[in-house]
Amino acid sequence: MTTTETEPTTEVRRSWLRDHSELGVSLLLFVIGVVVLTDALTMDVEIAQRGPVGPRTVPIAVGIGLLLVAVLLAVDVLRGGRGESETGEDIDLSEPSDWRTVLLLAGVFLAFAVLIGPIGFPVAGALLFWGAAFALGSRHHHRDPLIAAVLSLVTYFVFNNLLGVPLPGGPLMEVL
């Protein structure tokens, strides 16, 4: 076999994979569904369950839904279905990516993850909200920190007091 005989086969295979690239999304959904179901079915439930709905119900429903969507997507793609392109976006694909914004946002999220334990959610959350606003282009240096602080405190009180989800308060725990 010479290289000229294998080139069309390789090109046909690449073309088929390019035309059916949605199968990758289907495979990803299937794998996530299997992971969710496996995790839900092996979950240790130490509370007394009353009735048919317990802590495993929602993860099992989500896992089954992911598997069902994955199979339906794969069948649709293999039958010739194709996703429609997004025509509503104002994206100029000839422009380069804005790596500065991406790196600033990644740094803000990393700083939040590192600081939430030592300084607590109210302060770390305020830094997260202000840093995200700055990274995305807001330059209102007097207004943004105030909005970030209020948003962080409201989020803390809603989760901690109303929803019963404890967030680390840090040094402000005694004050709040």
Side-chain angles (χ1 to χ4, degrees):
M1 231 180 203
T2 64
T3 57
T4 56
E5 292 176 10
T6 60
E7 286 178 12
T9 305
T10 306
E11 188 61 36
V12 168
R13 189 177 316 138
R14 284 184 186 159
S15 175
W16 188 89
L17 289 174
R18 191 174 303 119
D19 290 341
H20 297 87
S21 61
E22 290 95 346
L23 289 175
V25 175
S26 177
L27 179 66
L28 179 66
L29 289 173
F30 189 83
V31 168
I32 292 173
V34 167
V35 168
V36 168
L37 275 177
T38 303
D39 195 35
L41 293 174
T42 59
M43 180 187 308
D44 281 337
V45 179
E46 296 181 13
I47 62 170
Q49 179 176 334
R50 293 183 183 174
V53 178
R56 292 183 182 168
T57 306
V58 172
I60 288 174
V62 169
I64 290 172
L66 284 167
L67 293 177
L68 181 65
V69 169
V71 169
L72 291 175
L73 178 61
V75 168
D76 182 53
V77 169
L78 293 174
R79 293 173 113 189
R82 299 213 22 111
E84 294 181 23
S85 65
E86 301 253 349
T87 57
E89 293 290 328
D90 261 356
I91 298 174
D92 185 6
L93 296 176
S94 64
E95 290 292 319
S97 298
D98 186 7
W99 287 106
R100 179 184 177 272
T101 301
V102 171
L103 292 174
L104 278 172
L105 280 173
V108 165
F109 283 117
L110 182 63
F112 174 74
V114 169
L115 293 175
I116 192 170
I119 66 175
F121 183 85
V123 177
L127 292 173
L128 169 72
F129 294 136
W130 175 78
F134 181 83
L136 294 172
S138 179
R139 296 297 182 257
H140 299 278
H141 299 296
H142 299 291
R143 182 186 70 186
D144 289 346
L146 293 175
I147 292 173
V150 169
L151 188 58
S152 179
L153 286 172
V154 168
T155 303
Y156 177 78
F157 280 119
V158 166
F159 275 84
N160 205 47
N161 297 341
L162 298 179
L163 297 176
V165 177
L167 295 175
L172 293 178
M173 183 66 85
E174 303 300 321
V175 178
L176 298 176

